[in-house]
Coordinates of all heavy atoms in Angstrom, one line a residue:
M1 N -7.6 152.7 98.3 CA -8.7 151.8 98.9 C -8.0 150.6 99.6 O -7.1 150.0 99.0 CB -9.6 151.3 97.7 CG -10.7 150.5 98.2 SD -11.8 149.8 97.0 CE -12.7 151.2 96.4
T2 N -8.4 150.3 100.8 CA -7.9 149.2 101.5 C -8.8 148.0 101.4 O -9.9 148.1 100.9 CB -7.7 149.5 103.0 OG1 -9.0 149.7 103.6 CG2 -6.8 150.7 103.2
D3 N -8.3 146.8 101.9 CA -9.2 145.6 101.8 C -10.4 145.8 102.6 O -11.5 145.2 102.3 CB -8.4 144.4 102.4 CG -7.3 144.0 101.4 OD1 -7.4 144.3 100.2 OD2 -6.3 143.3 101.9
T4 N -10.4 146.6 103.7 CA -11.6 146.8 104.5 C -12.7 147.6 103.8 O -13.8 147.6 104.1 CB -11.3 147.4 105.8 OG1 -10.6 148.6 105.6 CG2 -10.4 146.5 106.7
D5 N -12.2 148.4 102.7 CA -13.2 149.2 102.0 C -13.9 148.4 100.9 O -15.0 148.9 100.4 CB -12.4 150.4 101.3 CG -11.8 151.3 102.2 OD1 -12.4 151.5 103.4 OD2 -10.8 152.0 101.9
V6 N -13.4 147.3 100.6 CA -14.1 146.4 99.5 C -15.3 145.7 100.1 O -15.2 145.1 101.2 CB -13.1 145.4 98.9 CG1 -13.8 144.5 97.9 CG2 -11.9 146.1 98.3
Q7 N -16.4 145.9 99.5 CA -17.7 145.2 100.0 C -18.2 144.3 98.9 O -18.0 144.6 97.7 CB -18.7 146.3 100.3 CG -18.3 147.2 101.5 CD -19.4 148.1 101.9 OE1 -20.5 148.1 101.4 NE2 -19.1 149.0 102.8
A8 N -18.9 143.3 99.3 CA -19.5 142.4 98.4 C -20.6 143.1 97.6 O -21.2 144.0 98.2 CB -20.1 141.2 99.2
P9 N -20.8 142.7 96.4 CA -21.9 143.4 95.6 C -23.2 143.1 96.2 O -23.5 142.0 96.8 CB -21.8 142.7 94.2 CG -21.0 141.5 94.4 CD -20.2 141.7 95.7
K10 N -24.1 144.1 96.2 CA -25.5 144.0 96.7 C -26.3 143.2 95.7 O -26.2 143.3 94.5 CB -26.1 145.3 96.9 CG -25.4 146.2 97.9 CD -25.7 145.7 99.3 CE -25.1 146.7 100.3 NZ -25.3 146.3 101.6
I11 N -27.1 142.3 96.2 CA -28.1 141.5 95.4 C -29.4 142.3 95.4 O -29.9 142.7 96.4 CB -28.3 140.1 96.0 CG1 -26.9 139.3 96.0 CG2 -29.3 139.3 95.2 CD1 -27.0 138.0 96.8
E12 N -29.9 142.4 94.2 CA -31.2 143.1 94.1 C -32.3 142.0 94.0 O -32.2 141.1 93.2 CB -31.3 143.9 92.8 CG -30.4 145.1 92.9 CD -30.6 146.1 91.7 OE1 -31.7 146.1 91.1 OE2 -29.6 146.7 91.3
F13 N -33.3 142.1 94.9 CA -34.3 141.1 95.0 C -35.6 141.7 94.4 O -35.8 142.9 94.5 CB -34.6 140.8 96.5 CG -33.4 140.1 97.1 CD1 -32.6 140.8 98.0 CD2 -33.1 138.8 96.9 CE1 -31.5 140.2 98.6 CE2 -32.1 138.2 97.5 CZ -31.3 138.8 98.3
P14 N -36.4 140.9 93.8 CA -36.2 139.4 93.5 C -35.1 139.2 92.5 O -34.9 140.0 91.6 CB -37.5 138.9 93.0 CG -38.2 140.1 92.4 CD -37.7 141.3 93.2
C15 N -34.4 138.1 92.8 CA -33.2 137.7 91.9 C -33.5 136.3 91.3 O -33.5 135.3 91.9 CB -32.0 137.6 92.8 SG -30.5 137.2 91.8
K16 N -33.8 136.4 90.0 CA -34.1 135.1 89.3 C -32.9 134.3 89.1 O -31.8 134.9 89.0 CB -34.7 135.4 87.9 CG -36.2 135.9 87.9 CD -36.7 136.0 86.5 CE -38.2 135.8 86.5 NZ -38.7 134.5 86.7
N17 N -33.0 133.0 89.0 CA -31.9 132.1 88.7 C -30.8 132.2 89.7 O -29.6 132.1 89.4 CB -31.4 132.2 87.3 CG -32.5 131.9 86.3 OD1 -33.2 130.9 86.5 ND2 -32.5 132.6 85.2
Y18 N -31.1 132.4 91.0 CA -30.1 132.5 92.1 C -29.7 131.1 92.4 O -30.5 130.2 92.7 CB -30.8 133.1 93.3 CG -29.8 133.4 94.4 CD1 -29.1 134.6 94.5 CD2 -29.6 132.4 95.4 CE1 -28.2 134.8 95.5 CE2 -28.7 132.6 96.5 CZ -28.0 133.8 96.5 OH -27.1 134.1 97.5
P19 N -28.4 130.8 92.2 CA -27.9 129.5 92.4 C -27.6 129.2 93.9 O -27.1 130.0 94.6 CB -26.5 129.5 91.6 CG -26.1 130.9 91.7 CD -27.3 131.7 91.7
I20 N -28.0 128.0 94.3 CA -27.7 127.5 95.7 C -27.1 126.1 95.5 O -27.7 125.2 94.8 CB -28.9 127.4 96.6 CG1 -29.5 128.8 96.8 CG2 -28.6 126.8 97.9 CD1 -30.8 128.9 97.6
K21 N -25.9 125.9 96.1 CA -25.2 124.6 96.0 C -25.2 124.0 97.4 O -24.8 124.6 98.3 CB -23.8 124.7 95.5 CG -23.2 123.3 95.3 CD -21.7 123.5 94.8 CE -21.8 123.7 93.3 NZ -20.4 123.6 92.7
V22 N -25.7 122.8 97.5 CA -25.8 122.0 98.7 C -24.9 120.8 98.7 O -25.0 120.0 97.7 CB -27.3 121.6 99.0 CG1 -27.4 120.9 100.3 CG2 -28.2 122.8 98.9
I23 N -24.0 120.7 99.6 CA -23.1 119.6 99.6 C -23.3 118.8 100.9 O -23.3 119.3 102.0 CB -21.6 120.1 99.6 CG1 -21.4 120.9 98.3 CG2 -20.6 118.9 99.6 CD1 -20.1 121.7 98.3
G24 N -23.4 117.5 100.7 CA -23.6 116.6 101.9 C -23.1 115.2 101.5 O -22.7 114.9 100.4
E25 N -23.2 114.3 102.5 CA -22.8 112.9 102.3 C -23.8 112.3 101.3 O -25.0 112.4 101.5 CB -22.8 112.2 103.6 CG -21.8 112.8 104.6 CD -20.9 111.8 105.2 OE1 -20.9 110.6 104.9 OE2 -20.1 112.3 106.1
A26 N -23.3 111.6 100.3 CA -24.1 110.9 99.4 C -24.9 109.8 100.1 O -24.4 109.2 101.0 CB -23.3 110.3 98.2
G27 N -26.2 109.7 99.7 CA -27.0 108.6 100.3 C -28.4 108.7 99.8 O -28.8 109.7 99.2
E28 N -29.2 107.7 100.2 CA -30.6 107.6 99.8 C -31.3 108.9 100.2 O -31.3 109.3 101.4 CB -31.1 106.4 100.5 CG -32.6 106.1 100.1 CD -32.7 105.4 98.8 OE1 -31.7 104.7 98.4 OE2 -33.7 105.5 98.1
G29 N -32.0 109.5 99.3 CA -33.0 110.6 99.6 C -32.3 111.9 99.7 O -33.1 112.9 100.1
F30 N -31.0 112.1 99.6 CA -30.4 113.4 99.7 C -31.0 114.4 98.8 O -31.4 115.5 99.2 CB -28.9 113.3 99.6 CG -28.2 114.6 99.9 CD1 -28.0 115.0 101.2 CD2 -27.8 115.5 98.9 CE1 -27.3 116.2 101.5 CE2 -27.1 116.7 99.1 CZ -26.9 117.0 100.4
T31 N -31.1 114.1 97.5 CA -31.6 115.0 96.5 C -33.1 115.3 96.8 O -33.5 116.5 96.7 CB -31.4 114.4 95.1 OG1 -30.1 114.2 94.9 CG2 -32.0 115.3 94.0
D32 N -33.8 114.3 97.2 CA -35.3 114.6 97.5 C -35.4 115.5 98.7 O -36.3 116.4 98.7 CB -36.0 113.2 97.8 CG -36.1 112.3 96.6 OD1 -36.1 112.9 95.5 OD2 -36.2 111.1 96.8
M33 N -34.5 115.4 99.7 CA -34.5 116.3 100.8 C -34.3 117.7 100.4 O -34.9 118.6 100.9 CB -33.5 115.8 101.9 CG -33.4 116.6 103.1 SD -32.2 117.9 103.0 CE -30.7 117.1 102.6
V34 N -33.3 117.9 99.5 CA -33.0 119.3 99.0 C -34.2 119.8 98.3 O -34.6 121.0 98.5 CB -31.7 119.2 98.1 CG1 -31.5 120.6 97.5 CG2 -30.5 118.9 98.9
I35 N -34.8 119.0 97.4 CA -36.0 119.5 96.7 C -37.1 119.9 97.7 O -37.7 120.9 97.5 CB -36.5 118.4 95.7 CG1 -35.5 118.2 94.6 CG2 -37.9 118.7 95.2 CD1 -35.7 117.0 93.7
E36 N -37.3 119.1 98.7 CA -38.4 119.4 99.6 C -38.2 120.7 100.3 O -39.1 121.5 100.5 CB -38.5 118.3 100.7 CG -39.5 118.5 101.7 CD -39.5 117.4 102.8 OE1 -39.2 116.2 102.5 OE2 -39.8 117.8 104.0
V37 N -36.9 121.0 100.8 CA -36.6 122.2 101.4 C -36.8 123.4 100.5 O -37.4 124.4 100.8 CB -35.2 122.2 102.0 CG1 -34.8 123.6 102.5 CG2 -35.1 121.2 103.1
M38 N -36.4 123.2 99.2 CA -36.5 124.3 98.3 C -38.0 124.6 97.9 O -38.4 125.8 97.9 CB -35.8 124.0 97.0 CG -34.3 123.9 97.1 SD -33.6 125.4 97.7 CE -32.1 124.8 98.5
Q39 N -38.8 123.6 97.8 CA -40.2 123.8 97.5 C -40.9 124.5 98.7 O -41.8 125.3 98.5 CB -40.9 122.5 97.2 CG -40.5 121.9 95.9 CD -41.1 120.5 95.6 OE1 -41.3 119.8 96.5 NE2 -41.2 120.2 94.3
R40 N -40.4 124.3 99.9 CA -41.0 124.9 101.1 C -40.8 126.4 101.1 O -41.6 127.2 101.5 CB -40.4 124.2 102.3 CG -41.2 124.6 103.6 CD -40.7 123.9 104.8 NE -40.2 122.5 104.5 CZ -39.1 122.0 105.0 NH1 -38.3 122.6 105.8 NH2 -38.8 120.7 104.7
H41 N -39.6 126.8 100.6 CA -39.2 128.2 100.7 C -39.2 129.0 99.4 O -39.2 130.2 99.4 CB -37.7 128.3 101.3 CG -37.6 127.8 102.7 ND1 -38.1 128.6 103.8 CD2 -37.2 126.7 103.2 CE1 -37.8 127.9 104.9 NE2 -37.3 126.7 104.6
A42 N -39.3 128.3 98.3 CA -39.4 128.9 97.0 C -40.5 128.2 96.2 O -40.2 127.3 95.4 CB -38.0 128.8 96.3
P43 N -41.7 128.5 96.4 CA -42.8 127.8 95.8 C -42.8 127.6 94.3 O -43.3 126.7 93.7 CB -44.1 128.6 96.2 CG -43.7 129.4 97.4 CD -42.2 129.6 97.3
D44 N -42.1 128.6 93.6 CA -42.0 128.5 92.2 C -40.7 127.7 91.7 O -40.4 127.6 90.6 CB -42.0 129.9 91.5 CG -40.8 130.7 92.0 OD1 -40.1 130.3 93.0 OD2 -40.4 131.7 91.3
F45 N -40.1 127.0 92.7 CA -38.9 126.2 92.4 C -39.2 125.2 91.3 O -40.2 124.4 91.4 CB -38.4 125.6 93.7 CG -37.3 124.5 93.4 CD1 -36.1 124.9 92.9 CD2 -37.6 123.2 93.7 CE1 -35.1 123.9 92.7 CE2 -36.6 122.2 93.5 CZ -35.4 122.6 93.0
D46 N -38.3 125.1 90.3 CA -38.5 124.1 89.3 C -37.4 123.0 89.5 O -36.2 123.3 89.3 CB -38.3 124.8 87.9 CG -38.4 123.8 86.7 OD1 -38.7 122.6 87.0 OD2 -38.1 124.2 85.6
A47 N -37.8 121.8 89.8 CA -36.8 120.7 90.1 C -36.0 120.4 88.8 O -35.0 119.8 88.9 CB -37.5 119.5 90.6
G48 N -36.5 120.8 87.7 CA -35.8 120.6 86.4 C -34.5 121.4 86.3 O -33.6 121.0 85.5
T49 N -34.3 122.4 87.2 CA -33.0 123.1 87.2 C -32.0 122.5 88.0 O -30.8 122.9 88.0 CB -33.3 124.6 87.7 OG1 -33.6 124.5 89.1 CG2 -34.3 125.3 87.0
L50 N -32.3 121.4 88.7 CA -31.4 120.7 89.6 C -30.3 120.0 88.9 O -30.5 119.3 87.9 CB -32.2 119.7 90.5 CG -31.4 119.0 91.5 CD1 -32.3 118.9 92.8 CD2 -31.0 117.6 91.1
V51 N -29.1 120.2 89.3 CA -27.9 119.5 88.8 C -27.2 118.8 90.0 O -26.8 119.5 90.9 CB -26.9 120.5 88.1 CG1 -25.7 119.7 87.6 CG2 -27.6 121.2 86.9
S52 N -27.0 117.5 89.9 CA -26.2 116.9 91.0 C -24.9 116.3 90.5 O -24.8 115.9 89.3 CB -27.1 115.8 91.6 OG -27.4 114.8 90.7
R53 N -24.0 116.2 91.4 CA -22.7 115.7 91.0 C -22.0 115.0 92.2 O -22.0 115.5 93.3 CB -21.8 116.9 90.6 CG -20.5 116.6 90.0 CD -19.9 117.9 89.6 NE -18.6 117.6 88.9 CZ -17.8 118.5 88.4 NH1 -18.2 119.8 88.5 NH2 -16.7 118.1 87.8
D54 N -21.6 113.8 91.9 CA -20.9 113.0 92.9 C -19.4 113.5 93.0 O -18.8 113.9 92.0 CB -20.9 111.5 92.6 CG -22.2 110.9 92.7 OD1 -22.9 111.1 93.7 OD2 -22.6 110.1 91.7
S55 N -18.9 113.3 94.2 CA -17.4 113.6 94.4 C -16.6 112.5 93.7 O -17.2 111.5 93.4 CB -17.1 113.7 95.9 OG -17.3 112.5 96.5
S56 N -15.3 112.8 93.6 CA -14.5 111.8 92.9 C -14.5 110.4 93.5 O -14.4 109.4 92.8 CB -13.1 112.3 92.8 OG -12.5 112.5 94.1
K57 N -14.6 110.3 94.8 CA -14.7 109.0 95.5 C -16.1 108.6 95.8 O -16.3 107.5 96.4 CB -13.8 109.0 96.7 CG -12.3 109.2 96.4 CD -11.5 109.2 97.6 CE -10.0 109.5 97.2 NZ -9.1 109.5 98.3
G58 N -17.1 109.4 95.5 CA -18.5 109.0 95.7 C -19.0 109.2 97.1 O -20.1 108.8 97.4
R59 N -18.2 109.8 98.0 CA -18.6 109.9 99.4 C -19.6 111.1 99.5 O -20.5 111.1 100.4 CB -17.4 110.1 100.2 CG -17.8 110.3 101.7 CD -16.6 110.4 102.6 NE -17.0 110.7 103.9 CZ -16.3 111.3 104.9 NH1 -15.0 111.5 104.6 NH2 -16.8 111.5 106.0
F60 N -19.4 112.2 98.7 CA -20.2 113.4 98.8 C -21.0 113.6 97.6 O -20.7 113.1 96.5 CB -19.3 114.6 99.1 CG -18.6 114.5 100.4 CD1 -17.3 114.1 100.4 CD2 -19.2 114.8 101.6 CE1 -16.6 114.0 101.6 CE2 -18.5 114.7 102.8 CZ -17.2 114.3 102.8
L61 N -22.1 114.3 97.7 CA -22.9 114.7 96.6 C -23.2 116.2 96.7 O -23.4 116.7 97.7 CB -24.3 114.0 96.7 CG -25.3 114.2 95.6 CD1 -24.8 113.7 94.2 CD2 -26.6 113.5 95.9
S62 N -23.0 116.9 95.5 CA -23.4 118.3 95.5 C -24.6 118.4 94.6 O -24.7 117.8 93.6 CB -22.2 119.2 95.0 OG -22.1 119.0 93.6
V63 N -25.5 119.2 95.1 CA -26.8 119.5 94.4 C -26.9 121.0 94.2 O -26.9 121.7 95.2 CB -28.0 118.9 95.2 CG1 -29.3 119.2 94.5 CG2 -27.9 117.4 95.4
Q64 N -27.0 121.4 93.0 CA -27.2 122.8 92.7 C -28.5 123.0 92.1 O -29.0 122.3 91.3 CB -26.1 123.3 91.7 CG -26.3 124.8 91.4 CD -25.2 125.4 90.6 OE1 -24.0 125.1 90.8 NE2 -25.5 126.3 89.7
V65 N -29.2 124.1 92.7 CA -30.5 124.4 92.2 C -30.6 125.9 91.9 O -29.7 126.7 92.4 CB -31.6 124.1 93.3 CG1 -31.7 122.6 93.6 CG2 -31.4 124.9 94.6
L66 N -31.6 126.3 91.1 CA -31.8 127.7 90.8 C -33.1 128.1 91.3 O -34.1 127.4 91.1 CB -31.7 128.0 89.3 CG -30.4 127.6 88.6 CD1 -30.5 127.8 87.1 CD2 -29.3 128.5 89.1
I67 N -33.2 129.2 92.1 CA -34.5 129.7 92.6 C -34.6 131.1 92.3 O -33.7 131.8 91.9 CB -34.6 129.5 94.2 CG1 -33.6 130.3 94.9 CG2 -34.5 128.0 94.5 CD1 -33.9 130.5 96.4
T68 N -35.8 131.7 92.5 CA -36.0 133.1 92.5 C -35.9 133.5 93.9 O -36.8 133.3 94.7 CB -37.4 133.5 91.9 OG1 -37.4 133.0 90.5 CG2 -37.6 135.0 91.9
A69 N -34.8 134.2 94.3 CA -34.6 134.6 95.6 C -35.4 135.9 95.9 O -35.3 136.8 95.1 CB -33.1 134.9 95.9
T70 N -36.1 135.9 97.0 CA -37.0 137.0 97.3 C -36.4 137.9 98.3 O -36.9 139.0 98.5 CB -38.4 136.6 97.7 OG1 -38.3 135.7 98.8 CG2 -39.1 135.8 96.6
G71 N -35.4 137.5 99.1 CA -34.8 138.3 100.1 C -33.9 137.6 101.0 O -33.8 136.3 100.9
V72 N -33.1 138.3 101.8 CA -32.1 137.7 102.7 C -32.8 136.8 103.6 O -32.3 135.7 103.9 CB -31.4 138.8 103.4 CG1 -30.5 138.3 104.5 CG2 -30.6 139.7 102.4
E73 N -34.0 137.1 104.1 CA -34.7 136.2 105.1 C -35.0 134.9 104.5 O -34.8 133.8 105.2 CB -36.0 136.9 105.5 CG -35.9 138.2 106.2 CD -35.7 139.4 105.2 OE1 -36.0 139.2 104.0 OE2 -35.2 140.4 105.7
Q74 N -35.4 134.8 103.2 CA -35.6 133.6 102.5 C -34.4 132.7 102.5 O -34.4 131.5 102.8 CB -36.2 133.8 101.1 CG -36.4 132.5 100.3 CD -36.5 132.8 98.8 OE1 -35.7 133.6 98.3 NE2 -37.3 132.0 98.2
L75 N -33.3 133.3 102.1 CA -32.0 132.6 101.9 C -31.5 132.1 103.3 O -31.0 131.0 103.3 CB -31.0 133.5 101.3 CG -31.3 134.0 99.8 CD1 -30.2 135.0 99.3 CD2 -31.4 132.8 98.9
Q76 N -31.7 132.9 104.3 CA -31.3 132.4 105.6 C -32.1 131.3 106.1 O -31.6 130.3 106.7 CB -31.4 133.6 106.6 CG -30.3 134.6 106.5 CD -30.5 135.8 107.3 OE1 -31.6 136.2 107.8 NE2 -29.4 136.6 107.6
A77 N -33.4 131.3 105.8 CA -34.3 130.2 106.2 C -34.0 128.9 105.5 O -34.0 127.8 106.1 CB -35.8 130.6 106.0
I78 N -33.6 129.0 104.2 CA -33.2 127.9 103.4 C -32.0 127.3 104.1 O -31.9 126.0 104.3 CB -33.0 128.2 102.0 CG1 -34.3 128.5 101.3 CG2 -32.2 127.1 101.2 CD1 -34.2 129.1 99.9
H79 N -31.0 128.1 104.4 CA -29.8 127.6 105.0 C -30.0 126.9 106.3 O -29.5 125.8 106.5 CB -28.8 128.8 105.1 CG -27.4 128.4 105.6 ND1 -27.1 128.3 106.9 CD2 -26.3 128.1 104.9 CE1 -25.9 128.0 107.0 NE2 -25.4 127.9 105.8
V80 N -30.8 127.6 107.2 CA -31.1 127.0 108.5 C -31.8 125.6 108.3 O -31.4 124.6 109.0 CB -32.0 128.0 109.3 CG1 -32.6 127.3 110.5 CG2 -31.2 129.2 109.7
D81 N -32.8 125.5 107.4 CA -33.5 124.3 107.3 C -32.6 123.2 106.7 O -32.7 122.0 107.1 CB -34.7 124.5 106.4 CG -35.9 125.0 107.1 OD1 -35.8 125.3 108.3 OD2 -37.0 125.1 106.5
L82 N -31.8 123.5 105.7 CA -30.9 122.5 105.2 C -29.9 122.0 106.2 O -29.7 120.8 106.4 CB -30.1 123.1 104.0 CG -30.9 123.3 102.7 CD1 -30.1 124.1 101.7 CD2 -31.3 121.9 102.1
R83 N -29.3 122.9 107.0 CA -28.4 122.5 108.0 C -29.1 121.7 109.1 O -28.5 120.8 109.7 CB -27.7 123.7 108.7 CG -26.8 124.5 107.7 CD -25.6 123.8 107.3 NE -24.8 123.6 108.5 CZ -23.5 123.2 108.5 NH1 -23.0 122.8 107.4 NH2 -22.9 123.0 109.6
A84 N -30.3 122.0 109.4 CA -31.1 121.3 110.5 C -31.3 119.8 110.1 O -31.6 119.0 111.0 CB -32.4 122.0 110.7
T85 N -31.2 119.4 108.9 CA -31.4 118.0 108.5 C -30.3 117.1 109.0 O -30.5 115.9 109.1 CB -31.4 117.9 106.9 OG1 -30.1 118.2 106.4 CG2 -32.5 118.7 106.3
G86 N -29.1 117.7 109.3 CA -28.0 116.9 109.8 C -27.3 116.2 108.7 O -26.3 115.5 108.9
R87 N -27.7 116.3 107.4 CA -27.1 115.7 106.3 C -26.3 116.6 105.4 O -25.6 116.1 104.5 CB -28.2 115.0 105.4 CG -29.0 114.0 106.2 CD -30.0 113.3 105.3 NE -29.3 112.5 104.3 CZ -29.9 111.9 103.3 NH1 -31.2 112.0 103.1 NH2 -29.2 111.1 102.5
V88 N -26.4 117.9 105.7 CA -25.8 118.9 104.9 C -24.5 119.4 105.5 O -24.5 119.8 106.7 CB -26.7 120.1 104.6 CG1 -26.0 121.2 103.9 CG2 -27.9 119.6 103.8
H89 N -23.4 119.4 104.8 CA -22.1 119.8 105.3 C -21.9 121.3 104.9 O -21.2 122.0 105.7 CB -20.9 119.0 104.7 CG -20.9 117.6 105.2 ND1 -20.3 117.3 106.4 CD2 -21.4 116.5 104.8 CE1 -20.4 116.0 106.7 NE2 -21.1 115.5 105.7
M90 N -22.4 121.7 103.8 CA -22.1 123.1 103.3 C -23.2 123.6 102.4 O -23.8 122.8 101.6 CB -20.8 123.1 102.5 CG -20.0 124.3 102.5 SD -18.4 124.2 101.6 CE -17.7 122.7 102.1
V91 N -23.5 124.8 102.5 CA -24.5 125.5 101.6 C -23.8 126.7 101.0 O -23.3 127.6 101.8 CB -25.8 125.9 102.3 CG1 -26.8 126.6 101.4 CG2 -26.4 124.7 103.0
L92 N -23.7 126.8 99.7 CA -23.0 127.9 99.0 C -24.0 128.6 98.2 O -24.9 128.1 97.6 CB -21.9 127.4 98.2 CG -20.8 126.5 98.9 CD1 -19.9 125.9 97.8 CD2 -20.1 127.3 99.9

C-alpha cells in the first residue's frame, strides 16, 4: 500500500458530538459570534458544550464546540460563514 492508497476515514452522518475548533484573534464578542454561526447551522447546538482557551500570550482564542453534524454541506456552510466574519484564522 502506498501513501496515495491511504484515505481519510468516512464520517457517517448524522454524527453526534462532532467537534469544531475555531481559532481567531481574541477580542470582544468572538465567542458570541461563534455561537451565533453554530446556532444558525446546527439548531440543536448546545452552547454548554463550548470550551474556550486563550493562547499563551493572549493574542488568540480557540473555541471548541460540539454539534450534531448532518452532512458535508452543513460543515462547509459553517466553515464559509465563520471565515466570512473576517475574525477567524482557522477552522478545524
